[in-house]
Amino acid sequence: MKKFIIPLLLLSGTAFSQSNLRPKIDQQADAIEAKVIEWRRDFHKYPELGNQEFRTAKIIADHLRSLGMEVTENVAVTGVVGVLKGGKPGPMVALRADMDALPVTERNDLPFKSVNTAVYNGQETGVMHACGHDSHVAILMGAAEVLAGMKDQLEGSVKFIFQPAEEGVYDVDIAGAELMVKEGVMEDVDAIFGLHIWSQIEAGKIGYRSGPALAAVDNLSITVHGTQAHGASPWSGVDPIVTSAQIVTGLQTILSRSVNVTENPAVVTVGAIHGGIRQNIIPEKVEMIGTIRTFGDEQQALVHERITEIATNIAESAGAKADVEIGKLYPSTVNDPELTAQMLPSIQSAAGKENVIAMPPVTGAEDFSFFQREKPGFFIFLGGMKKGGDPLTTPSHHTPDFYLDESGFKLGVKALSYFVVDYMGMK
């Protein structure tokens, strides 16, 4: 037994030395809170769409350079990466924030209400940080300043990843995290951490989930080909509208009869159907588009297979033909179970154990998943709802009324900083 005692004592001492940095992190997070809120309000007022985050990126790069970091710009188009080298050898820990806004026109009456507009997919639109990425950037800038102030005590290095185009870019095949990975941003990283502000969790609380946390997202396109006919004599043609209606209904049996919902949910949503031009003409074809949400590669493969089988066989039974196209977008965001168990005490210490919530799977998607496919990662949900608010009536993400309680931002700075020093202490 004696041969195990010294290594355990050494590991404990290292972890303890890093955990001693927590009081300094708390102090610095308090001191920087007003600055974080000011940054967030500025980004909120001047939001930018994916791969167009030029102003945002310059502010970030200037800030990181002012902290003495090595900074690389124009990563994956507009991304910024800063590296903080600690005073002692150790792992490379990555922290990530996404920068882009959405083509949404804000309705909130705020002093820092969005003033920007843009052209998206050929249409004039307002631009809004309707998913909280402005807060993610500000929080990570705050964590960068806090950690830079103790770099001589860090047992390792920190890579700050400011990522563009998390929401995707409609005219680009590869963007955001996937492109950053292809450009090598994860090659020297040992573990990565990130957060997402969450408008249905009270400020001051943190949600987490071990294993599959957010869904994979895929695009669905089905074209049903029939035979055009007069609406007064439908028997003389093959009606793709009736066939499409049967396909939409049939797709829902995947969720009720093919997916084991006791393990993970799945979603197949048809969001638009287009077919026909006149009341008394049965059209030649109908086009439908939708979204698919699954958890894990096996479930994703099952759902894709069943969609194709159901659509093509229903169409064939009606004398029609269905062409099914499924475009994979983001894989499921999966929190490494071992890393989650290791780092759970970090968020419990930052927020208080009573303020850390184990969450069910979220059917939204996040391209943080591409980073996690390269190295172990832990992605958490930071509360952004006003205290005492009702999650059922609070405006959700991607809506014109989306609103955040800024009192929770300081906790985000603490949590990300704790991740760094605690992970370093374990290595």
Side-chain angles (χ1 to χ4, degrees):
M1 286 294 292
K2 288 184 179 179
K3 63 181 179 180
F4 295 106
I5 293 175
I6 293 176
L8 286 172
L9 287 174
L10 288 174
L11 177 61
S12 176
T14 304
F16 180 74
S17 68
Q18 291 290 278
S19 67
N20 274 348
L21 295 175
R22 286 180 178 178
K24 187 175 181 180
I25 289 172
D26 294 348
Q27 182 183 25
Q28 292 304 309
D30 287 338
I32 205 172
E33 181 180 21
K35 189 186 288 189
V36 170
I37 292 172
E38 182 181 353
W39 282 327
R40 182 262 169 165
R41 292 184 176 186
D42 178 73
F43 294 136
H44 191 87
K45 188 173 183 178
Y46 302 104
E48 297 169 300
L49 295 175
N51 285 353
Q52 300 175 31
E53 308 96 328
F54 303 108
R55 178 182 182 275
T56 304
K58 184 179 186 308
I59 293 171
I60 293 166
D62 288 347
H63 176 63
L64 298 183
R65 285 197 181 95
S66 74
L67 300 174
M69 294 190 199
E70 297 177 1
V71 177
T72 305
E73 298 180 75
N74 305 317
V75 183
V77 184
T78 51
V80 179
V81 176
V83 175
L84 177 67
K85 293 184 177 180
K88 304 172 185 178
M92 175 72 80
V93 183
L95 301 177
R96 173 269 202 171
D98 38 10
M99 306 188 298
D100 55 324
L102 287 159
V104 174
T105 302
E106 184 166 15
R107 278 200 295 251
N108 294 315
D109 185 17
L110 299 169
F112 50 94
K113 179 179 179 178
S114 170
V115 298
N116 283 2
T117 60
V119 175
Y120 182 84
N121 198 14
Q123 300 182 50
E124 290 279 349
T125 179
V127 182
M128 178 187 175
H129 272 296
C131 203
H133 296 185
D134 50 347
S135 66
H136 302 169
V137 172
I139 288 168
L140 187 53
M141 288 173 65
E145 186 161 331
V146 168
L147 292 167
M150 56 185 73
K151 66 178 181 179
D152 291 342
Q153 298 165 274
L154 295 181
E155 298 175 357
S157 299
V158 190
K159 180 174 284 191
F160 297 91
I161 299 173
F162 291 87
Q163 178 210 310
E166 189 279 328
E167 302 289 356
V169 182
Y170 71 90
D171 57 351
V172 173
D173 291 333
I174 299 177
E178 185 177 12
L179 185 54
M180 279 195 144
V181 168
K182 286 183 177 295
E183 292 187 3
V185 76
M186 292 295 291
E187 289 177 359
D188 58 349
V189 169
D190 291 282
I192 185 166
F193 301 94
L195 60 77
H196 202 303
I197 200 82
W198 208 247
S199 67
Q200 276 74 43
I201 297 177
E202 281 187 335
K205 297 184 177 182
I206 290 175
Y208 80 98
R209 179 175 176 81
S210 181
L214 290 112
V217 56
D218 302 312
N219 284 339
L220 172 63
S221 174
I222 302 175
T223 302
V224 179
H225 301 274
T227 303
Q228 190 158 317
H230 196 294
S233 53
W235 52 84
S236 62
V238 176
D239 192 337
I241 291 180
V242 171
T243 304
S244 296
Q246 292 172 336
I247 290 173
V248 172
T249 301
L251 293 178
Q252 300 313 305
T253 64
I254 298 172
L255 315 181
S256 64
R257 292 296 180 269
S258 298
V259 171
N260 185 345
V261 294
T262 65
E263 294 179 354
N264 277 311
V267 175
V268 179
T269 294
V270 175
I273 299 179
H274 302 284
I277 195 171
R278 183 179 166 90
Q279 300 95 323
N280 63 347
I281 298 176
I282 293 172
E284 191 170 57
K285 69 176 181 180
V286 169
E287 297 173 325
M288 63 181 87
I289 55 175
T291 188
I292 307 165
R293 307 295 168 116
T294 53
F295 292 86
D297 294 344
E298 289 185 9
Q299 188 191 61
Q300 183 186 50
L302 169 67
V303 171
H304 288 189
E305 181 181 2
R306 294 295 294 129
I307 288 172
T308 301
E309 289 173 347
I310 287 170
T312 55
N313 289 332
I314 287 177
E316 184 179 354
S317 71
K321 182 178 181 294
D323 295 328
V324 180
E325 294 183 7
I326 296 174
K328 289 186 176 182
L329 296 179
Y330 303 165
S332 179
T333 301
V334 181
N335 284 329
D336 181 88
E338 182 179 352
L339 183 64
T340 301
Q342 288 176 330
M343 306 312 298
L344 181 57
S346 300
I347 54 176
Q348 290 175 333
S349 179
K353 195 170 184 178
E354 71 281 3
N355 293 317
V356 176
I357 307 161
M359 295 177 62
V362 175
T363 51
E366 242 285 352
D367 72 353
F368 188 81
S369 54
F370 287 107
F371 298 126
Q372 290 176 314
R373 292 216 158 188
E374 300 299 310
K375 300 293 172 63
F378 186 30
F379 192 73
I380 61 172
F381 303 91
L382 179 69
M385 181 178 67
K386 67 179 181 180
K387 294 182 180 179
D390 183 353
L392 296 178
T393 58
T394 297
S396 66
H397 296 248
H398 290 221
T399 66
D401 304 303
F402 178 76
Y403 177 82
L404 293 176
D405 185 326
E406 297 170 328
S407 67
F409 295 175
K410 179 174 66 174
L411 175 58
V413 174
K414 288 175 58 176
L416 292 180
S417 302
Y418 278 24
F419 281 150
V420 170
V421 299
D422 292 350
Y423 184 84
M424 288 179 176
M426 295 174 186
K427 298 300 169 181

